[in-house]
Amino acid sequence: MDDLMKGEPASGFQTLLGYTLVRWEDGVAEVELTIAPQHRNRGGVLHGGALMTLLDTVMGFAATHCTVPGHSRRVVTLSLSSSFLGAVAEGTVVARGTLLGGGRKIVGCRGEVRRKDDGALLASAEGMFKYAPGSENPEGTPR
């Protein structure tokens, strides 16, 4: 698989949770997580906090694609509104984020998390994100 992060190392939180970036294009991103015991809540299903992390992460990626080698773009989350629609205890989930639009510094995104095997919708969200200085430009800033 190509290095979608273009040489940028995984964050500590990404390493801790174990999700993988599987698609990253202009305005769209996808991450996958294979559910392990540490991802489950006391009821034995994927924890809502893990779902929220995947949604926040994938929407942030959708807003920050950059094609300039050695450059990156960053956002901070301003708001996140979510709905939990299903539960899953095992297997792999796929989170997909889409950039909806916005202004030069603040943009909106939509996200969904689905079971990989049958596409059942588990959670959805919308969020507002603010670009870090320099990240509002598609060419980003040097790392």
Side-chain angles (χ1 to χ4, degrees):
M1 181 191 313
D2 292 335
D3 176 20
L4 295 176
M5 296 287 293
K6 297 176 177 40
E8 184 177 344
S11 71
F13 200 55
Q14 179 180 354
T15 301
L16 178 68
L17 241 59
Y19 62 83
T20 303
L21 180 66
V22 296
R23 180 179 178 195
W24 195 14
E25 303 169 9
D26 188 29
V28 179
E30 291 181 0
V31 299
E32 289 186 357
L33 174 72
T34 299
I35 299 168
Q38 67 268 25
H39 300 126
R40 295 186 188 104
N41 63 19
R42 291 175 52 211
V45 298
L46 182 60
H47 194 285
L51 288 165
M52 289 297 296
T53 295
L54 295 175
L55 289 163
D56 184 41
T57 297
V58 79
M59 289 188 288
F61 273 120
T64 57
H65 186 259
C66 183
T67 59
V68 179
H71 284 210
S72 63
R73 300 172 75 197
R74 303 280 188 244
V75 290
V76 294
T77 307
L78 298 176
S79 68
L80 196 57
S81 175
S82 64
S83 297
F84 298 102
L85 305 161
V88 62
E90 58 188 31
T92 300
V93 296
V94 179
R96 178 185 170 108
T98 306
L99 177 65
L100 298 176
R104 180 163 163 73
K105 296 191 183 232
I106 297 177
V107 294
C109 295
R110 176 178 299 135
E112 294 181 341
V113 180
R114 294 180 179 271
R115 288 195 308 233
K116 187 173 182 178
D117 61 356
D118 65 3
L121 184 61
L122 301 171
S124 65
E126 288 195 0
M128 298 300 293
F129 299 83
K130 181 177 180 180
Y131 286 113
S135 291
E136 63 275 357
N137 301 315
E139 64 273 9
T141 59
R143 275 189 226 130

